[in-house]
Amino acid sequence: MRVRRSIFRVINRRESWAGWSQVAPTLLFLVVFFIVPLAMMFGSSWMARGTYGGIEWRFTAEHYVRFADPLYLSILARTLAWSLGATLFCLLVGYPVAWTLANAGRWKNVLVFLVIVPLWTSYLVRTFAMIFLMRDSGLINTLLLKTGLIQEPLELLYTPGAVMAGLVYGFLPFMVLPIYTSLEKLDPTLLEAAEVLGARPAARFWKVIWPLSLPGVAAGSLLTFIPALGSYLTSDLLGGAKQMMIGNLVQNQFTTARNWPFGAAASFVVMSGVLVAVTLYLRMRDKAPGGGL
Amino acid sequence: MTTTRRLPAWIIAVTGMVYFFLHAPMLVLVIFSFNDSKFSTEWSGFTLHWYTRLLERDDILVALQRSLLVGGASTVISTVLGTLLAMGLARHRLTARTVLEGLVYVPVVTPEIVCGISLLLLFVAMGIPLGTGTIILAHVAFNISYVTVVVRARLEGMDQSLEEAAMILGADEWTTFWRVTVPQLWPGILSGALLAFTMSFDDFVITSLVSGPGTATLPIVVYGMVRKNIEPSINAISTIVLVVTTTLIYVSDRLTRSPKPS
């Protein structure tokens, strides 16, 4: 007994040393190439703009004040509205899909795989597919013109609708997969019990299924909202100059406009949105009866 | 739930429409990559012309080489670093564990554009010239966490008693790691590596911010082609990218699903 205990003590003592030696190189890398850059971005958002672009070491809050300008307020409002709208739409159509997956029997593996594939296919290529369909000489307009339903090509590209379609197309799998995971864990006997006790389908959904799927709904909403909030390619390629989102503003300040501190401030605005979303997610997860994913 | 329940018709209808919406655009691209017409939305016969044309474009071939180099290097580094972190977190009681766990998720929740510009700030401040090196560093930075998450999921599902047995029988930490843990863990490591490679190979936003002049990767060349509009060669590239990605994901999926290749 004593021998055993001492062996474990030796293992444990060695463990903490070995553990740190295992995690240290990675932690160092993440701190240097992720945390420090984020801190630098935050810092430079409070600095003045240099005469030739770049950053001057003088404290100022002007870049944040600048967001009160109607132009930037409208970009902020648009970004928020579209990200929330896309998240909500993904939830509405993604939930039934997740339910199908959880109950698909032997088709399950194939169907889940088909949701994963778009997630890992180049987003640039997928956005191009949307352009290919929606541009003036695109497939949709060609078909409609041929059938005589329209005389002039419809203006589909460079509209809010195009950006919205792009966001949903891009991030819907992020919504479906976590909800599917929590629905799959659902114990079917709970539903049978509810049915036996006389609960109608609506009550079975709202009182049993929905609360138990909340961890998935929370995770899915977070994973959809964050990339939508920071999206750059979608609005860049499908929205054009009129449908700028905050991601485009950031990129613009770092390339053509060359106002780095303002760009840093804009990206910190994005990060605070992310922070709020993550906080809400953690709260919701802790409250949910099913626990975290 | 293992039993197949009867699904209401409207749920099946919504699911059908979603699958159509998710896959029809890419299928259309693939079909029209074989279309023998410059005006790419009128079908006028089958051709492989757009594929052979890709081979004549030096910029695409050079960019492809660079993408493979960046993908390979960043995958190897991020897989090693990510696996070590997963091991440390799953197998050791470390102080400040919650902070470490939080740190793993920072890159996952940071939008690409923010990650890209903050790295640009770092490289400029440190005077590191932008080029293939900075692209690789950036890709490692965003890939590590994904590798860690995938490998850790595998570790949590593994039987820890084998490692304990090895240690009690006198194997040291290192021997246990190489002879007991890694052989069981390799499907997880490999699938993490495949995901890392796919993400590196596909990345446009971060790469475009930290790449210097003349160091374009494939997505950057493709972006230029999409912007300049428009020749069916993009359809051909897209088709190749789709086929490669699907294959990699399929392999990775098989690796994570089968618990033990006996």
Side-chain angles (χ1 to χ4, degrees):
Chain A
M1 192 67 200
R2 178 175 290 175
V3 178
R4 261 186 80 136
R5 199 176 291 157
S6 69
I7 287 174
F8 275 118
R9 201 177 300 138
V10 170
I11 289 174
N12 274 339
R13 195 189 304 143
R14 272 168 52 184
E15 259 197 320
S16 79
W17 183 85
W20 278 107
S21 69
Q22 274 174 9
V23 298
T26 317
L27 288 182
L28 190 69
F29 191 95
L30 279 180
V31 167
V32 172
F33 290 103
F34 227 103
I35 305 304
V36 169
L38 285 179
M40 285 175 62
M41 182 191 78
F42 182 61
S44 59
S45 73
W46 297 99
M47 299 291 155
R49 179 192 182 189
T51 328
Y52 308 102
I55 295 151
E56 205 179 286
W57 289 96
R58 180 162 56 78
F59 178 85
T60 173
E62 64 181 287
H63 308 297
Y64 288 98
V65 175
R66 227 174 137 189
F67 273 101
D69 186 309
L71 171 68
Y72 300 118
L73 272 185
S74 73
I75 292 178
L76 272 183
R78 182 185 302 135
T79 307
L80 205 60
W82 285 357
S83 321
L84 286 173
T87 307
L88 203 65
F89 188 81
C90 284
L91 178 60
L92 274 174
V93 297
Y95 203 104
V97 176
W99 182 256
T100 309
L101 291 181
N103 295 288
R106 63 202 183 90
W107 293 104
K108 190 182 282 182
N109 285 354
V110 182
L111 288 175
V112 171
F113 183 71
L114 284 175
V115 176
I116 296 174
V117 167
L119 205 58
W120 296 106
T121 307
S122 158
Y123 188 55
L124 176 62
V125 164
R126 298 182 68 224
T127 309
F128 173 66
M130 293 302 259
I131 299 178
F132 190 74
L133 291 179
M134 290 198 286
R135 65 180 183 225
D136 283 0
S137 59
L139 193 67
I140 294 176
N141 272 321
T142 312
L143 288 178
L144 288 175
L145 285 168
K146 277 228 166 135
T147 52
L149 281 170
I150 51 169
Q151 314 307 325
E152 295 272 293
L154 297 174
E155 196 182 299
L156 299 171
L157 215 53
Y158 311 125
T159 59
V163 181
M164 200 59 157
L167 292 175
V168 173
Y169 178 64
F171 308 131
L172 186 59
F174 286 122
M175 181 66 87
V176 173
L177 292 172
I179 299 179
Y180 156 70
T181 310
S182 53
L183 285 178
E184 211 202 10
K185 280 192 255 166
L186 193 83
D187 183 355
T189 54
L190 288 175
L191 289 177
E192 279 159 27
E195 201 172 344
V196 169
L197 293 171
R200 301 197 150 272
R204 289 205 296 267
F205 177 76
W206 288 114
K207 297 242 159 92
V208 184
I209 301 173
W210 174 256
L212 287 172
S213 66
L214 273 182
V217 171
S221 304
L222 183 77
L223 291 175
T224 313
F225 179 74
I226 288 177
L229 190 73
S231 71
Y232 161 75
L233 264 180
T234 322
S235 34
D236 179 52
L237 289 173
L238 302 175
K242 274 181 290 178
Q243 321 291 347
M244 218 180 180
M245 289 174 77
I246 194 156
N248 308 93
L249 179 69
V250 172
Q251 194 266 354
N252 197 20
Q253 295 305 318
F254 274 87
T255 51
T256 39
R258 290 200 68 80
N259 189 342
W260 287 28
F262 184 51
S267 49
F268 199 72
V269 170
V270 177
M271 276 313 272
S272 25
V274 169
L275 216 62
V276 170
V278 171
T279 314
L280 284 176
Y281 162 73
L282 291 174
R283 275 229 187 122
M284 210 167 148
R285 190 191 67 175
D286 294 341
K287 263 193 208 153
L293 275 176
Chain B
M1 283 196 250
T2 43
T3 50
T4 311
R5 308 178 121 254
R6 272 207 335 165
L7 293 161
W10 71 270
I11 287 190
I12 293 177
V14 171
T15 307
M17 284 190 286
V18 166
Y19 274 85
F20 180 78
F21 175 66
L22 280 181
H23 294 284
M26 286 304 296
L27 281 180
V28 169
L29 268 197
V30 171
I31 292 169
F32 278 90
S33 72
F34 300 108
N35 183 21
D36 190 11
S37 156
K38 254 215 168 298
F39 307 100
S40 36
T41 36
E42 302 245 1
W43 183 262
S44 45
F46 180 89
T47 180
L48 288 173
H49 177 65
W50 308 116
Y51 290 87
T52 50
R53 255 183 85 136
L54 290 181
L55 297 172
E56 293 156 16
R57 286 192 53 168
D58 286 339
D59 59 334
I60 290 180
L61 294 178
V62 169
L64 176 67
Q65 277 175 10
R66 184 165 293 108
S67 276
L68 291 174
L69 170 73
V70 167
S74 66
T75 300
V76 170
I77 302 171
S78 59
T79 303
V80 171
L81 290 176
T83 303
L84 282 173
L85 183 58
M87 289 286 306
L89 286 175
R91 289 288 183 266
H92 300 282
R93 254 175 273 120
L94 301 171
T95 40
R97 191 197 180 92
T98 339
V99 180
L100 298 185
E101 306 245 353
L103 187 65
V104 173
Y105 283 97
V106 172
V108 179
V109 300
T110 305
E112 284 187 297
I113 186 92
V114 176
C115 169
I117 66 118
S118 59
L119 278 168
L120 175 66
L121 278 176
L122 177 84
F123 293 143
V124 170
M126 284 167 65
I128 303 174
L130 299 180
T132 311
T134 50
I135 302 177
I136 293 175
L137 283 174
H139 285 201
V140 175
F142 71 69
N143 269 335
I144 287 177
S145 296
Y146 291 93
V147 175
T148 303
V149 170
V150 171
V151 173
R152 216 182 138 185
R154 177 96 194 173
L155 270 169
E156 311 265 284
M158 255 169 52
D159 188 358
Q160 215 176 316
S161 54
L162 284 176
E163 287 161 59
E164 276 163 21
M167 302 261 270
I168 288 169
L169 291 172
D172 61 25
E173 183 90 18
W174 212 226
T175 318
T176 310
F177 178 71
W178 284 113
R179 308 278 300 266
V180 182
T181 314
V182 171
Q184 293 181 82
L185 195 58
W186 79 265
I189 297 175
L190 207 58
S191 90
L194 286 174
L195 292 187
F197 184 82
T198 314
M199 292 206 294
S200 166
F201 195 75
D202 282 348
D203 180 74
F204 167 75
V205 175
I206 294 171
T207 310
S208 72
L209 289 163
V210 298
S211 64
T215 55
T217 58
L218 191 59
I220 292 186
V221 174
V222 173
Y223 177 84
M225 290 167 76
V226 170
R227 260 281 136 112
K228 266 181 248 143
N229 252 347
I230 267 303
E231 57 160 329
S233 290
I234 316 176
N235 293 37
I237 295 187
S238 305
T239 305
I240 296 170
V241 168
L242 181 69
V243 170
V244 171
T245 317
T246 311
T247 313
L248 289 180
I249 299 307
Y250 182 73
V251 172
S252 159
D253 199 51
R254 291 318 292 254
L255 289 173
T256 36
R257 215 164 259 167
S258 61
K260 240 174 236 168
S262 52

